[in-house]
Amino acid sequence: MKKTFLMTAFACALLSACSNSDKLIYKDANAPIEDRVEDLLGRMTLEEKIYQISQQCLGENDNINNNEGMNPVPLNPMIGSVIFMSEDIQVRNAFQKKAMEETRLGIPVIYGYDVIHGYRTVYPIPLAMACSWDPSLLEACTKVAAQEARQAGVDWVFAPMIDVAHDARWGRIAEGSGEDPYTAAQFAVAAVKGFQGDNLASYKQVASCLKHFVGYGASEAGRDYVYSEISDQTLWDTYLPPYETAVKAGAQTLMSAFNDISGVPASANSYTMNTVLRDMWGFDGFIVSDWGAVEQLVNQGNAANPAEAAVNALTAGVDMDMTDGVYIKNMEQLVADKKLDMKVIDEAVRRVLRVKFRLGLFENPYTPDVQEKDRILLASSKETALKAAEETMVLLKNTNSILPLEGVKRIALIGPMVKNLHDLLGSWLGHGHDEDVTTIQEAMDAAFPEATINYAQGCDFEGDDKAGFSEAVRAANASEVVVLCLGEKQAWSGENASRSTILLPQIQRDLLEAVAKTGKPVVLVLNNGRPLELSGMEPYTAAILEAWQPGISGGTPIAKVLNGSVNPSGKLCATFPYTSGQIPIYYNRRNPARPATQGFYQDVTVEPMYAFGYGLSYTTFEYGTLKLSAEKVAQNGKLKAEISVKNTGKRAGKETVHWYITDPACKITRPMKELRYFEKAELQPGETKVFTWEIDVQKDFSYVDSKGNHFVEPGDILVKVGDQEVKVVVE
Ligand code: BGC
């Protein structure tokens, strides 16, 4: 019945459209995109426009944090977008067919999904990827993710997440690149390139979505969905830079965040979305709200009711309403009541259509039916994920070079993570399957074929059952070394996964103490989604390997580091404090008023336990003298910095040189040091490489004020690498 009606309506519309103009420009693949957009917009009714800027869900809800409010209005093929939670291409194509054939104008639906670190070939969590200091690895991984996603019917991924985070209690620190804006920007660009490539219409690329705009990482006390206190200065110098860089790299969409930015919620913030993003940066794609974020403006005290929330969000720049149906339920009336200007709706529709045309959805609305074996978990894709995972491993401690474990005949392999599959995948695991994961045990068996491996679980991740401790102690006693695998369950980080402390549960710490009491050296391997408080555990260890959540490669990169076939080269992109009480702690703090003698904690140091940029290798690197090509430079000048690094050890290894600057005196005070460039390179034993930074003063020495103006002040700038610094005078 409904179908007949729709078809009749469609036929009528086609007739009237054809009588209005001979040619349907929007269907002409050769017409310029802007002409197609205008043509289509001109044909749309208000109802069609409102559906076009709304998103609902298709498939079975797999998002544990959003289990309410799924499709509060019936799913209609006029909908602009769906979150595609199914893996079944036929489900997608069947719904797309309705949109194409049973609606008046036949506008394709755009299918979005959370592909945060892989669709099926799950690679390491983003926090780990940034510890690789090699954005090209992320570009390669996101390229794989794009291909798998698009060929499974996903046109648009809700990634990358590029929120700077200073608080490891916030579970979503796992999804970003850590605490530094420059690092986040470099990895954001890599992700945009990998996802989008240079032809969005290709069946191997997807549109990316920068999220969560903006300042979500500043959520108070690490709690999720809450207020964030962000001055305009901090907005500009800390939270906006990754977005600016990634928008300029061509990201097609953004997602508005859940947080309240100092009194104006991010999803009703005209300054960030209209003024900054569109007017200042020229962004022409669209913004989707986060899940229910429009309706939640009522909870946040920004709107009296959902209708007002719709007005506030749309006029502030939220083009598409994710899942809560607030636009669909209220907008027609709002227009009738003259509370919403049609021009604002038209502009939002325009932006959505533009991205659909760029994706080629009008020409190719359906996903070709390629067999799974030809599109997911390809051998080359798994290889890419493994290579990336190898470079994310951060060696935090290695007393007397106990690692790599060479010539060891008896290894105790203990802990709740040893046979685990699921938790190694990490949060937001896309359509990753547990059975794709290599366990630590399997990987250790393969990596140490000559050794006897004595396994014991010891305990669970939490709880107080110590019944397994005695078996763990026996395994330790029967071995030369203990490899103890502890960490966090996958749902302990990610969305809605805040913790008041970043300590591992007591039972895991007790297990460490119990096995260490045997006197056997303990190599602690950690899989987790946030920096941890390790000061109480470190004394019981001989070595610590921070292995994060590596995705499907699971235990393989870990075992390869332990047996020495991979030389660890990861360095931290987020600070590890001694205690949770030091949070927020991050390297690029501003100077205190009494730095040398006062202002410290009375009970604990103010220094981090493992600093940003820290990470050991199995080889040693000797740095030469830092040199600059000039002592003075003009404000619009250029300069070269260089430093030689020699591999003085016996193994090949990769080293990352981090280039920082300090501006000791500026009208707007600047951080003690700021990362402005980094480079990673492999050096053979005995090899020396000169690392070079080509400095463009306007770009690399400049700073931003609270209105977004970039400026360079005359005066001293210190260029820093490690503990060396050289002064240059900017004239
Ligand atoms: C999350 C987003 C995610 C969206 C869609 C929200 O709850 O905050 O990051 O993209 O759900 O699943």
Side-chain angles (χ1 to χ4, degrees), residues 2-3 6-7 10 27 58 75-80 82 84 88-111 153 155 203 361-362 364-368:
K2 195 173 167 201
K3 189 171 171 177
L6 284 166
M7 285 308 288
F10 174 62
K27 294 209 166 175
L58 182 66
L75 188 56
N76 183 313
M78 267 195 296
I79 199 82
V82 293
F84 185 46
D88 188 344
I89 292 171
Q90 304 313 333
V91 171
R92 178 200 194 270
N93 285 344
F95 188 68
Q96 190 72 308
K97 195 164 189 305
K98 287 181 190 238
M100 297 306 292
E101 295 179 9
E102 297 177 21
T103 67
R104 201 175 66 90
L105 295 165
I107 305 175
V109 173
I110 178 171
Y111 292 71
D155 314 303
Y203 266 118
L361 290 174
F362 284 80
N364 296 303
Y366 302 109
T367 304

Side-chain angles (χ1 to χ4, degrees), residues 55 62-63 65-66 83 85 113-114 116 158-159 161 172 175 211-212 216 224-225 255 258 289-291 322-323 428 495:
Q55 183 182 59
D62 59 4
N63 186 329
N65 296 308
N66 295 319
I83 303 184
M85 290 163 168
Y113 192 58
D114 287 288
I116 309 301
F158 306 139
M161 189 282 220
R172 305 203 79 167
E175 299 172 46
K211 69 186 194 184
H212 308 77
Y216 186 29
D224 219 347
Y225 316 115
M255 187 182 292
F258 288 131
S289 75
D290 203 341
W291 186 299
M322 185 187 281
T323 67
W428 291 111
E495 186 179 352

Side-chain angles (χ1 to χ4, degrees), residues 208-223:
S208 64
C209 180
L210 310 176
K211 69 186 194 184
H212 308 77
F213 199 63
V214 57
Y216 186 29
S219 286
E220 200 169 70
R223 283 174 292 133

Side-chain angles (χ1 to χ4, degrees), residues 217-258:
S219 286
E220 200 169 70
R223 283 174 292 133
D224 219 347
Y225 316 115
V226 299
Y227 181 76
S228 57
E229 182 52 57
I230 309 176
S231 68
D232 280 354
Q233 180 59 41
T234 305
L235 188 66
W236 274 101
D237 67 41
T238 302
Y239 296 104
L240 287 173
Y243 287 94
E244 181 168 11
T245 312
V247 163
K248 292 182 176 161
Q252 291 294 307
T253 75
L254 283 88
M255 187 182 292
S256 72
F258 288 131

Side-chain angles (χ1 to χ4, degrees), residues 294-323:
V294 176
E295 191 159 38
Q296 288 165 25
L297 292 174
V298 177
N299 300 342
Q300 288 176 304
N302 170 271
N305 50 53
E308 199 174 300
V311 176
N312 293 358
L314 189 80
T315 52
V318 176
D319 304 302
M320 184 181 277
D321 175 17
M322 185 187 281
T323 67

